[in-house]
Amino acid sequence: MTQIIHSVSDLQKWSMEQKRQGKTVGLVPTMGFLHEGHLSLIDTAHAQGADAVAVSIFVNPTQFGPNEDFDRYPRDFEHDRILCEQHGADVIFAPEVNDMYPAAVTCWVQEEEISKGLCGKTRPIHFRGVTTVVTKLFNAALPDLAVFGQKDAQQAAIIKRMVRDLNFPIRIIVSPIVREADGLAMSSRNKYLSADERQRALTLSRSLREAKEALENGTRTDALAECDVIRQKLTASGGVVDYVEALDPETMLPVTSGSQRPVLFALACAYGTTRLIDNMKVD
Ligand code: AMP
């Protein structure tokens, strides 16, 4: 039976009790409206040794810009609860905004390198909100390990850096992207897409896969030129490209021309009012 906890202090008590019993506590932070991608993180937490798993469901206002989709972000708590139950989550942590932010925030946690590029360019306060809320969730759940998705590759890299730089005693695990059968990376925001936009949005994963194939089989050799190819395909499909970049998968910094090392292609592109992200590693 999945227990539902609303307050930070109750979650701390729960976590400390698990540890007293010798259990390893795992945390899976989410904004809810759960899909197979989120559920794979719960499974990963178990597989990586968590005996007690808490899933947080919290649409965090501080990571949304003023003109972003905080108000219309999809929510379905009862459905989420059933899915958490099915995947053996021990606890759902579902705080109210007022509980997480009882007063105006004047203290932030901010990563200052990886956060600047990619999504950070068009979403300037986004990662500050993410690192701050994840710190608060860490202090609430006191986990031994926490699982994040490779879908948000930049976010995962920033969290790893934060844990390294600020000495959080937490093992960060990054779990692979879960895709729909046709390749579209699962996302709570896919719900916003019309049937036509959803069809055109397949260009994200398709163009990434084609780039990976071309570079890995040697048909093409330049990762930076490949970004232009991807950009053209996205534009031709009616997408408005935010960025397409070739990055060092470890540092998340742009690769230089002619690099023969593994590359992570990361992109953001909008169809209508829906902005989607995706990424793929090329070995
Ligand atoms: P969100 O609810 O969108 O904030 O995502 C919560 C967590 O689930 C983050 O660590 C995401 O990276 C992860 N996630 C979201 N979509 C996927 C997916 N398709 N595959 C794997 N992980 C995902």
Side-chain angles (χ1 to χ4, degrees):
M1 189 72 183
T2 305
Q3 189 184 341
I4 297 166
I5 293 181
H6 294 287
S7 86
V8 170
S9 60
D10 284 348
L11 188 64
Q12 287 166 334
K13 280 186 209 135
W14 170 81
S15 180
M16 286 188 279
E17 175 56 25
Q18 304 309 305
K19 290 181 183 192
R20 210 183 54 74
Q21 295 175 14
K23 292 184 182 169
T24 297
V25 175
L27 173 68
V28 177
T30 83
M31 297 205 299
F33 209 71
L34 302 182
H35 50 66
E36 290 292 332
H38 297 113
L39 300 175
S40 74
L41 306 186
I42 304 177
D43 298 345
T44 299
H46 285 127
Q48 290 286 325
D51 312 301
V53 174
V55 178
S56 62
I57 296 181
F58 180 61
V59 184
N60 172 40
T62 65
Q63 70 190 64
F64 287 79
N67 298 316
E68 295 182 357
D69 55 344
F70 175 72
D71 288 332
R72 66 181 187 123
Y73 196 85
R75 291 157 167 94
D76 187 347
F77 186 79
E78 185 49 24
H79 190 233
D80 290 350
R81 192 189 63 73
I82 292 166
L83 293 174
C84 285
E85 186 97 51
Q86 286 170 354
H87 284 257
D90 297 84
V91 157
I92 295 174
F93 177 52
E96 295 294 328
V97 172
N98 289 342
D99 294 327
M100 280 298 267
Y101 297 106
V105 181
T106 59
C107 186
W108 299 93
V109 178
Q110 189 155 4
E111 193 285 331
E112 298 191 340
E113 183 179 70
I114 309 168
S115 310
K116 295 221 162 95
L118 310 177
C119 293
K121 284 189 184 151
T122 44
R123 307 186 73 192
I125 62 158
H126 174 66
F127 289 116
R128 182 188 70 169
V130 169
T131 41
T132 301
V133 80
V134 170
T135 298
K136 289 165 77 71
L137 292 169
F138 284 174
N139 286 333
L142 307 169
D144 300 294
L145 61 89
V147 189
F148 294 83
Q150 174 65 14
K151 162 86 193 325
D152 298 85
Q154 186 179 14
Q155 167 176 284
I158 290 167
I159 299 296
K160 278 191 187 167
R161 181 66 62 87
M162 176 181 92
V163 162
R164 185 197 77 177
D165 287 357
L166 302 182
N167 306 108
F168 283 97
I170 300 171
R171 185 156 65 96
I172 301 301
I173 295 153
V174 182
S175 200
I177 300 178
V178 176
R179 298 181 179 280
E180 304 284 356
D182 59 10
L184 183 68
M186 290 192 184
S187 164
S188 307
R189 288 189 169 100
N190 290 349
K191 175 187 158 63
Y192 300 148
L193 297 167
S194 68
D196 174 55
E197 287 166 347
R198 196 194 170 295
Q199 197 55 33
R200 290 188 282 129
L202 293 178
T203 313
L204 270 72
S205 56
R206 194 182 301 135
S207 63
L208 286 168
R209 206 176 51 242
E210 287 164 358
K212 181 177 167 72
E213 281 164 10
L215 291 170
E216 286 183 349
N217 70 24
T219 321
R220 294 190 289 269
T221 54
D222 184 356
L224 289 186
E226 209 53 36
C227 291
D228 290 328
V229 176
I230 296 172
R231 220 172 268 124
Q232 280 158 17
K233 288 176 182 170
L234 291 169
T235 306
S237 72
V240 177
V241 177
D242 180 353
Y243 62 80
V244 179
E245 290 201 37
L247 310 156
D248 178 317
E250 299 303 321
T251 63
M252 293 298 284
L253 298 175
V255 298
T256 47
S257 187
S259 167
Q260 293 301 305
R261 291 156 51 88
V263 159
L264 184 82
F265 285 102
L267 59 81
C269 179
Y271 291 88
T273 55
T274 306
R275 181 178 176 281
L276 301 173
I277 59 172
D278 200 350
N279 67 84
M280 203 171 281
K281 192 173 167 202
V282 175
D283 294 313

